[in-house]
């Protein structure tokens, strides 16, 4: 695995510090939402974290432990980039979508925002259930000049250039998810 890595883009220590800060910020925002509703005499609403599998597995696992808040977790599986292709081919939900999200505070967590197709699909399907609030959180956002993405997440860990990255949950063809840093692969490994 290590011999396929060209260079590290974001080191694991830097990721950990950012995830800690993100978790605290998000938890405060969610707690504030609940407090306001309680003060207005409405049901404060449960917090439900919705990680997008499989990419958000590592990020989500670290993020939830930085959120000192009562929450439940309900995953959604989305396929994008079928096969070996690295060009976005659209997103489709695999299996069941989380249910009973009406009146809850949903935090959708994904590894990376590219075109935004994945999160646009997930968000619109969740919104049909009328949650009290919905927020999107991505660890990485690819910056593409002149190509605005379909969604604007409330929380972004890092903006990165338009390069294909692996590690910390992100894969190439199913591999490298367990690489601890975020890295660029060697050309010959792709
Ligand atoms: P989008 O639907 O175009 O925003 O693509 C988002 C999905 O594509 C993410 O959930 C990832 O699974 C995958 N993806 C996009 N860019 C990369 C990358 O650089 N490395 C690994 N996976 C990526
Ligand atoms: Mg993904």
């Amino acid at each position: 695995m290590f011999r396929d890595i060209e260079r590290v883009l974001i080191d694991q220590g830097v990721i950990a510090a950012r995830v800690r800060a993100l978790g605290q910020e998000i938890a405060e925002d969610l707690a504030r939402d609940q407090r306001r509703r309680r003060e207005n005499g409405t049901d404060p609403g449960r917090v439900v974290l919705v990680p997008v599998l499989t990419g958000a597995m590592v990020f989500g696992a670290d993020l939830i432990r930085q959120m000192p808040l009562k929450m439940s977790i309900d995953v959604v599986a989305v396929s994008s980039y079928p096969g070996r292709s690295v060009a976005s081919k659209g997103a489709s939900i695999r299996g069941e979508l989380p249910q009973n999200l009406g009146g809850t505070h949903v935090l959708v967590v994904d590894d990376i925002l590219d075109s935004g197709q994945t999160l646009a699909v997930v968000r619109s399907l969740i919104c049909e259930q009328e949650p009290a609030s919905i927020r999107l959180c991505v660890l990485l956002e690819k910056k593409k000049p002149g190509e605005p993405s379909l969604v604007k997440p409330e929380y972004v860990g890092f903006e990165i250039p338009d390069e294909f990255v692996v590690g910390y949950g992100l894969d190439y063809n199913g591999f490298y998810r367990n690489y601890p840093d975020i890295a660029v692969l060697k050309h010959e490994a792709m």
Side-chain angles (χ1 to χ4, degrees):
M1 171 169 77
F2 294 92
R3 72 171 65 130
D4 294 342
I5 301 298
E6 168 84 32
R7 69 196 149 85
V8 169
L9 205 61
I10 311 172
D11 164 86
Q12 53 187 302
V14 176
I15 300 172
R18 183 69 186 117
V19 171
R20 203 175 307 125
L22 264 181
Q24 268 156 28
E25 184 190 345
I26 300 169
E28 279 167 21
D29 291 349
L30 288 165
R32 196 183 317 113
D33 271 16
Q34 290 180 311
R35 199 163 50 239
R36 287 218 182 101
R37 287 171 67 90
R38 209 177 280 117
E39 283 163 6
N40 294 336
T42 23
D43 179 348
R46 308 180 283 126
V47 170
V48 184
L49 194 110
V50 179
V52 180
L53 296 183
T54 308
M57 197 180 94
V58 178
F59 174 42
D62 284 347
L63 186 70
I64 56 173
R65 287 174 293 168
Q66 302 298 333
M67 296 176 64
L69 197 75
K70 187 171 175 180
M71 65 165 82
S72 58
I73 300 169
D74 211 335
V75 300
V76 60
V78 176
S79 310
S80 45
Y81 293 163
R84 290 173 56 86
S85 168
V86 296
S88 194
K89 289 220 172 116
S92 61
I93 304 280
R94 281 188 281 133
E96 285 265 311
L97 202 75
Q99 296 298 311
N100 306 317
L101 298 177
T104 65
H105 300 280
V106 176
L107 179 73
V108 179
V109 177
D110 204 359
D111 51 359
I112 187 165
L113 181 88
D114 189 355
S115 68
Q117 286 216 35
T118 303
L119 287 177
V121 168
V122 170
R123 185 171 64 182
S124 75
L125 289 172
I126 288 177
C127 280
E128 288 175 8
Q129 297 185 40
E130 300 184 2
S133 70
I134 179 163
R135 293 177 168 91
L136 306 178
C137 172
V138 294
L139 180 67
L140 307 173
E141 176 170 1
K142 272 190 195 177
K143 276 289 149 194
K144 298 181 177 179
E147 236 186 276
S149 82
L150 290 166
V151 297
K152 176 104 199 61
E154 280 71 17
Y155 308 100
V156 175
F158 303 93
E159 288 185 354
I160 61 165
D162 187 12
E163 279 190 280
F164 196 82
V165 292
V166 297
Y168 197 72
L170 291 115
D171 73 305
Y172 173 67
N173 212 13
F175 293 108
Y176 311 106
R177 292 194 197 275
N178 57 322
Y179 189 76
D181 308 307
I182 289 167
V184 177
L185 283 178
K186 281 182 186 156
H187 205 72
E188 56 266 34
M190 303 192 60

